[in-house]
Every structure is written in structure tokens, then in C-alpha cells.
Amino acid sequence: MADWAIRQASVSDVEAVAELRAVVLRADLERLGRYDEQRVRQRLRDGFDPAHTWVIEVGGAFAGCVALRPDEDAHWLEHFYLAPQLQGSGIGSGVLRELLERCDRRGVLVRLNVLQGSAAQRLYERHGFTVETEDAVDVFMRRPIGVGRPGEASPSVP
């Protein structure tokens, strides 16, 4: 696994994040018949909140991002994108493990949604997320506090 670091995002990161989102989501959105060249970027711009977003860097260069947005009963893991050439290298698992450990220490449940058929769902399942509900486009998942820590088996989906 390459050396990586995360830093707090700034407003100036929005375009790099929007572009990475378009690249990473393109195949899944096209498969679902929902890809739109402008909309995929604009949705990120409209919801970008640097206060709850971190930039992932590898060798000091932009490599991805992740957001953890607080909500009433949980934190929502959002905008977790890693440059395609770095996917499968263990960086995503490392970043996710660090964020989940922070949430565990604070006693916070984590929720997310992933596109139907996305390979990312397997990553989340390995870290203890289970499916709550789904529709034609999204799979909504949750991870209770302290579940799926490295070395522990993930619970089976009920």
C-alpha cells in the first residue's frame, strides 16, 4: 500500500473533487442509465462542504476524497472517491478504517448509500456495513458502532 495522508478539504478543492467524482462514478451511472456529464459534477458542487470533507493525498498529490457528514442519529459517509489507478491498493480500506475508528471512539453509527451494482459495496461489507434498504438506483447501508473492525468477520446480512 502506498503512503497516504488525509487533510481537511478547502473550498479550492471542489473542482478536483467534482472531476474525480465524474470519472469514478461514470461506469456505474452509465450502467444505470443515469450519467449526465454536467449533472454528475454539479451535484457535487452543490453539496460540497469542506468542513466535513477530507482530501486523500498520495505522495503529496491529490488522490481522492471522503466526507463524513453528521446527521441526527448517525454520520453519513459520502463522496468517497479514489483515483482509479489507486483503487485496490489498500488505500481506500486504510482511509475507511481510520474514519470508522474515529466514529467508534465517539459512539457514532455510520450510514452510506452506494450505487446498485457498484464494486464499492464489497469494501463496505468487509468493514461491517449491512444493507438496510435499496431501490432501483441506490443501496442504503449502515454500520453499527464497533462492528467490522480489522480481523473481525463482518456480520451477515439479515
Side-chain angles (χ1 to χ4, degrees):
M1 175 172 58
D3 288 334
W4 58 271
I6 59 173
R7 66 166 172 81
Q8 188 71 49
S10 69
V11 173
S12 64
D13 292 310
V14 69
E15 289 307 315
V17 172
E19 187 59 34
L20 181 59
R21 179 179 197 267
V23 169
V24 170
L25 293 182
R26 184 174 190 141
D28 284 330
L29 289 171
E30 284 179 341
R31 179 179 41 76
L32 294 167
R34 299 183 63 91
Y35 185 78
D36 177 287
E37 190 78 25
Q38 280 73 42
R39 186 171 184 255
V40 69
R41 291 169 177 85
Q42 194 58 48
R43 285 193 67 189
L44 183 284
R45 290 179 193 119
D46 291 345
F48 186 72
D49 183 355
H52 300 294
T53 305
W54 292 269
V55 168
I56 303 163
E57 295 180 334
V58 174
F62 177 82
C65 63
V66 63
L68 198 58
R69 179 180 52 84
D71 199 12
E72 291 178 17
D73 69 336
H75 280 29
W76 281 88
L77 183 72
E78 300 174 322
H79 308 303
F80 192 9
Y81 312 121
L82 191 61
Q85 70 272 17
L86 297 171
Q87 293 176 11
S89 67
I91 294 169
S93 286
V95 170
L96 184 57
R97 188 178 312 112
E98 183 174 312
L99 291 176
L100 293 175
E101 286 171 358
R102 290 180 191 180
C103 289
D104 286 347
R105 284 193 300 274
R106 294 179 183 136
V108 176
L109 173 83
V110 180
R111 296 181 188 278
L112 61 83
N113 66 293
V114 63
L115 292 171
Q116 282 284 357
S118 172
Q121 185 173 343
R122 290 189 303 276
L123 168 69
Y124 299 130
E125 288 170 343
R126 285 194 306 270
H127 287 271
F129 285 86
T130 58
V131 174
E132 272 190 305
T133 62
E134 53 188 294
D135 59 30
V137 176
D138 292 302
V139 177
F140 294 87
M141 303 179 79
R142 70 188 291 270
R143 179 189 171 273
I145 302 159
V147 173
R149 292 184 181 167
E152 294 180 6
S154 297
S156 59
V157 178

